[in-house]
Amino acid sequence: MTGDILKYLREKECVSGEVLAQKLGISRVAVWKQIQKLKDMEYKITSDQNLGYCLVSRPDLLLPQEIQRGLSTNYIGKEIFYFPELKSSNRMAKEKALHRAEGIGEGTLIIAERQSGGKGRLGRKWFSPAGGIWLSIILYPQLPPSYIPRITLVTAVAVVKAIKMCTQIKSQIKWPNDILINEKKVCGILTEMSAELDIINWVVVGIGINANIDHQKFPEDIQAKTVSLKEVSGKEILRVRFAQIFLQEFEKYYESLKRREFSSILKEWKLYFHTLGRKIRVDMGERIVTGEAVNINENGALILKKEDGELIKIISGTILK
Ligand code: BTN
């Protein structure tokens, strides 16, 4: 109902309570209550005796009705669960993904304005204050589990594209899941899943983008290696627009992946490959290996050339330097 009221206010800016009541088939008191709800969501609406209700400004919040308005995807973001505060959107998305049969469809989003227990890779904490974009996408791809690393790569390409389209800034991908600007992390991706031997039950892709966060707000231990889009571009970014562009790009690349057209995505990914040609150390969990990052293969694995010339494939790991 608040969505309908917004639609009329956006069309005309000012609409009388009487007209709204007529259009929506509700009483003027019910209209008033819906207006109060919108005000609670930080929409600025004035009421004038002659003009009626006037929409003065919209909030800078990632509200579903704001994101969905003008979103040109087919299914990504068609259903959005929005929270002013959440422990972790990935955690919530994983709970929801278990309820696929109850209508939690592919492309459902969980969005939080801030997270009290944001999760990073390898059990790390993810700093998630207001001003960032913290969202998780629920997917049910009919692909073999070996495709999971490719979903992270697809997401990374979509983020890089969205950053370029919204801010003109070039960013790079640090394999497998970090997006960097000038060597500093601006976004992290956390892909979680449930799979059996040969099928994927669900995938949750969590994306954390440091959008409008002031540098001094980052915890000291990560300040030197973290950056926000606002800082680099010198102005606040329109988070709703960013989210829309990202979701559109994501759906495009994810569709290609589902058609198993990965080579074109990989080609693009390599254009943004931060680590290519660098000498790095990779923590593979059971051991740390050193070598030159020479490629990414068709499965999304990092190919490292060790000092003795041996090439090794790393499916999962963390680059230390
Ligand atoms: C990393 O670089 O370690 C991955 C960070 C992923 C953070 C995002 S924010 C949205 C989603 N919810 C979470 O709790 N984590 C991911």
Side-chain angles (χ1 to χ4, degrees), residues 30-45:
V31 169
W32 180 83
K33 281 190 184 152
Q34 295 301 322
I35 295 282
Q36 296 316 305
K37 272 197 197 164
L38 286 170
K39 285 184 175 174
D40 290 345
M41 289 188 242
E42 295 180 29
Y43 284 90
K44 280 210 178 72
I45 299 171

Side-chain angles (χ1 to χ4, degrees), residues 66-116:
E66 294 296 330
I67 292 180
Q68 284 164 341
R69 185 169 155 254
L71 181 67
S72 65
T73 55
N74 288 318
Y75 54 92
I76 300 289
K78 286 291 158 202
E79 178 89 61
I80 302 180
F81 292 89
Y82 168 84
F83 301 87
E85 172 145 3
L86 204 57
K87 190 158 188 199
S88 148
S89 61
N90 261 39
R91 190 179 139 131
M92 169 69 81
K94 287 192 286 178
E95 281 165 21
K96 295 262 184 220
L98 299 175
H99 298 279
R100 182 180 188 181
E102 291 150 40
I104 301 294
E106 166 131 299
T108 299
L109 302 186
I110 312 294
I111 300 183
E113 291 294 346
R114 60 182 81 83
Q115 300 182 114
S116 56

Side-chain angles (χ1 to χ4, degrees), residues 87-91 110 112 115 117-128 133-136 177-179 185 187-192 204-209:
K87 190 158 188 199
S88 148
S89 61
N90 261 39
R91 190 179 139 131
I110 312 294
Q115 300 182 114
K119 269 176 61 178
R121 274 179 85 226
L122 310 169
R124 296 191 191 115
K125 283 189 189 145
W126 182 260
F127 176 62
S128 328
I133 299 175
W134 323 123
L135 67 84
S136 302
N177 71 325
D178 291 352
I179 311 297
K185 185 158 168 172
C187 165
I189 300 162
L190 177 64
T191 307
E192 301 188 84
V204 164
V205 188
I207 301 106
I209 298 162

